Amino acid sequence: MKASFCIAVLAALVTGSAFAQTPPQTSTKKVEGTENVYIFRYGGHQSMFVVTPQGVIATDPISYLRPAKPYIDAIKAVTDKPIKYVIYSHHHYDHIAGGQPFKDLGATFIAHRRTRERLLELKKQNALLADIVMPDQVVDDKKTITLGGTTLELDYVGRNHSDNSLVMRLPKEKLVFVVDFAPIEAVQFRNIPDNSSPLEYIASLKKLASLDWERMIPGHPYAGGRLGTKKDVEDDIAYMEDLSAEVKKAADAGKCFDTAMKEVKLPKYEKWANYEASLPANVERFCYWWGRGY
């Protein structure tokens, strides 16, 4: 009996410990050092929202294959002010698929001009998800939103993870919200999809680094959920340039695609997230560039 009781207690402790280590599906936290900037996490995705006396500026309704209500509830738990704006970081579904409930509350949607073009094309093909809202306003290179004493600058820094990604910068707080194209201590996503030129990608990272900011809120909780720094973006640039140089050597030696994908290694970055899983696909993308010209 005593042995059975001990086993039961041990099992309960192990189960409880495992449960305690599993993060909740959603969380909301105020960004340290700010009065009104929050990060909403939904699974492995993150959005930023800013509360002002005249209303809320929300970003990316991250509700792909899940309800938008938890994000709206998170905002309502902080303020009773209306959601005035929703801004898309780019057009990929995993970041913008839950917009309609925000639109039903009267929000104005803003995105890059090419985001709207992409969504219209998807709609024409009957491939647009039901809760994706068409932008009301579009941005070309830059747009500034002012609401309740808060200024948010929307900057287009060029093609990278998409051809329509916006950097959202809060000048006063020296914060940026950047989604997908500047990972923190992680290699790039798979074969760097939806991208015109890897060299344009590197140029966009350099433009991001040149903007005036100190901390970066990412669209995914990389590196334990910490905020990014200029050093992280500089490391991304170094990784991309090192990768480009090594793949060019492989392409010049006629090793693209399969051989290069097996042989090219960058030990300097082997501790980064997704190194084993995504490095070969990253190599493949640069093989297209250096081996095929596109």
Side-chain angles (χ1 to χ4, degrees), residues 25-287:
Q25 186 183 34
T26 66
S27 65
T28 306
K29 64 179 180 181
K30 183 188 287 187
V31 176
E32 186 177 345
T34 71
E35 297 177 355
N36 61 345
V37 183
Y38 295 82
I39 299 171
F40 172 70
R41 181 189 57 77
Y42 202 165
H45 290 72
Q46 294 186 151
S47 294
M48 175 184 77
F49 67 91
V50 186
V51 178
T52 84
Q54 294 180 5
V56 176
I57 303 171
T59 68
D60 283 2
I62 44 176
S63 299
Y64 179 58
L65 301 180
R66 54 195 176 188
K69 188 175 184 294
Y71 188 4
I72 293 171
D73 287 347
I75 294 172
K76 287 183 175 180
V78 172
T79 180
D80 60 359
K81 301 299 181 184
I83 301 170
K84 290 287 191 178
Y85 295 103
V86 173
I87 303 164
Y88 290 157
S89 62
H90 62 307
H91 80 281
H92 294 169
Y93 287 173
D94 59 321
H95 290 277
I96 68 164
Q100 190 58 52
F102 290 81
K103 190 63 181 175
D104 293 342
L105 293 174
T108 296
F109 280 64
I110 302 175
H112 190 270
R113 184 177 301 277
R114 275 195 290 273
T115 295
R116 191 171 193 278
E117 292 170 359
R118 291 283 196 121
L119 296 181
L120 284 171
E121 184 61 32
L122 288 162
K123 185 177 181 179
K124 189 187 302 182
Q125 296 169 6
N126 198 30
L128 191 66
L129 298 185
D131 277 354
I132 292 180
V133 175
M134 206 62 65
D136 301 297
Q137 299 177 17
V138 295
V139 182
D140 287 311
D141 292 330
K142 182 177 289 190
K143 182 181 180 70
T144 299
I145 297 170
T146 302
L147 183 70
T150 291
T151 297
L152 178 66
E153 184 179 281
L154 310 179
D155 290 295
Y156 177 66
V157 295
R159 295 172 184 259
N160 38 62
H161 178 77
S162 78
D163 65 356
N164 55 87
S165 296
L166 290 176
V167 174
M168 306 180 204
R169 189 173 73 92
L170 290 161
K172 177 185 172 184
E173 294 81 3
K174 291 191 178 295
L175 280 168
V176 287
F177 177 55
V178 176
V179 178
D180 284 349
F181 75 89
I184 301 169
E185 294 181 25
V187 303
Q188 294 291 343
F189 180 65
R190 299 179 69 86
N191 64 347
I192 313 177
D194 197 17
N195 166 256
S196 176
S197 155
L199 302 192
E200 285 185 75
Y201 200 129
I202 294 170
S204 79
L205 286 168
K206 290 179 177 178
K207 287 181 182 177
L208 169 61
S210 73
L211 297 175
D212 183 17
W213 58 273
E214 294 176 355
R215 294 181 295 168
M216 176 175 67
I217 300 171
H220 299 277
Y222 302 104
R226 71 173 176 85
L227 301 189
T229 65
K230 286 281 184 83
K231 174 66 164 52
D232 289 311
V233 177
E234 290 164 0
D235 288 346
D236 283 334
I237 294 166
Y239 166 75
M240 294 285 273
E241 289 183 334
D242 289 349
L243 177 63
S244 180
E246 289 303 308
V247 176
K248 188 177 189 307
K249 290 177 190 175
D252 291 346
K255 293 184 176 182
C256 279
F257 291 80
D258 294 346
T259 302
M261 291 170 67
K262 292 175 184 175
E263 292 185 357
V264 172
K265 303 293 180 186
L266 297 173
K268 179 180 175 182
Y269 307 98
E270 64 185 2
K271 292 184 179 179
W272 280 15
N274 302 320
Y275 175 85
E276 294 291 341
S278 291
L279 180 64
N282 282 196
V283 171
E284 180 184 39
R285 179 65 190 91
F286 275 89
C287 264

